[in-house]
Amino acid sequence: MANSMWKRMSPAARLATGVGGAAAVAVLAAACASGGGSSSSAPTSSASTSLAPASSAPASSAPAGTPAGSSSSGSASGATVITTATTSAGTVLTNGSGRAVYLWTKDSGGTSACSGACAGAWPPVTTTGTVTAAGGAVASDLGTITRSDGTKQVTYDGHPLYYFVGDSGPGTASGQGSDGFGAKWWLVSPSGSDVTASVTSFTAGGGGAAPASTAPASSAPAVPASTAPAPSKSTSAGGGWS
């Protein structure tokens, strides 16, 4: 029946029907393509939202470490050096920076009689590490005593050592010969005896050569072997090396 109807249709009607059918097919194909694309894009979208981005862990969640050395600040820098310097009265003891050190004649038995206001004017030479000798100082004469406040005071040949607050810096000895707090204060010689001559200033760092180990290795650079020319062999009749 459909075939007979198709035969009875005019050519124009047949053309219109064919075009409409082709258009309908095209629309249907486009709809199918659109539906397929949307269905395939959905998994991609859901997958992308389900993954946590790499930057989701904030940088601040890892706190900065403790600054290097802060937990042991000063633990490796408490050593005290006793060395010597040259004065008009001979060689005397100083600390490693060239500051004068004194003994007090009121001390006896290797103990300190200076405390309170006395220690404020004549601060004890203290250490929190080892005590070493340099210059003309004698290492075996160095020692320490424990003061009433628990600090370690440096001694030399049994004499507790002190600084003087009136000294303006290295190379000055304005405390020499003072009788503050009822007894004399004197500079100390490398032999451990008191120096009673008048001294007000001196050359810091003098009074004896420093141990060889204190000279930095770089002060005497090694000469590369390649810079030393090889001896030439003599071509004279006598032979030998020139």
Side-chain angles (χ1 to χ4, degrees), residues 44-191:
T44 303
S45 173
S46 62
S48 62
T49 57
S50 64
L51 296 176
S55 61
S56 61
S60 60
S61 64
T66 305
S70 64
S71 62
S72 58
S73 178
S75 63
S77 60
T80 299
V81 176
I82 298 298
T83 185
T84 50
T86 301
T87 74
S88 58
T91 303
V92 298
L93 300 181
T94 70
N95 73 350
S97 300
R99 188 175 178 185
V101 297
Y102 303 83
L103 60 78
W104 194 29
T105 57
K106 191 174 182 179
D107 291 342
S108 62
T111 61
S112 173
C114 180
S115 61
C118 174
W122 298 88
V125 178
T126 60
T127 186
T128 58
T130 58
V131 185
T132 58
V138 180
S140 59
D141 284 340
L142 289 170
T144 60
I145 58 173
T146 302
R147 295 180 59 82
S148 59
D149 59 1
T151 58
K152 298 290 186 181
Q153 183 173 2
V154 179
T155 63
Y156 190 85
D157 192 32
H159 301 291
L161 299 180
Y162 304 86
Y163 299 118
F164 179 48
V165 296
D167 288 343
S168 58
T172 60
S174 56
Q176 173 69 348
S178 170
D179 58 1
F181 299 94
K184 288 288 187 179
W185 299 85
W186 301 115
L187 294 169
V188 188
S189 72
S191 66

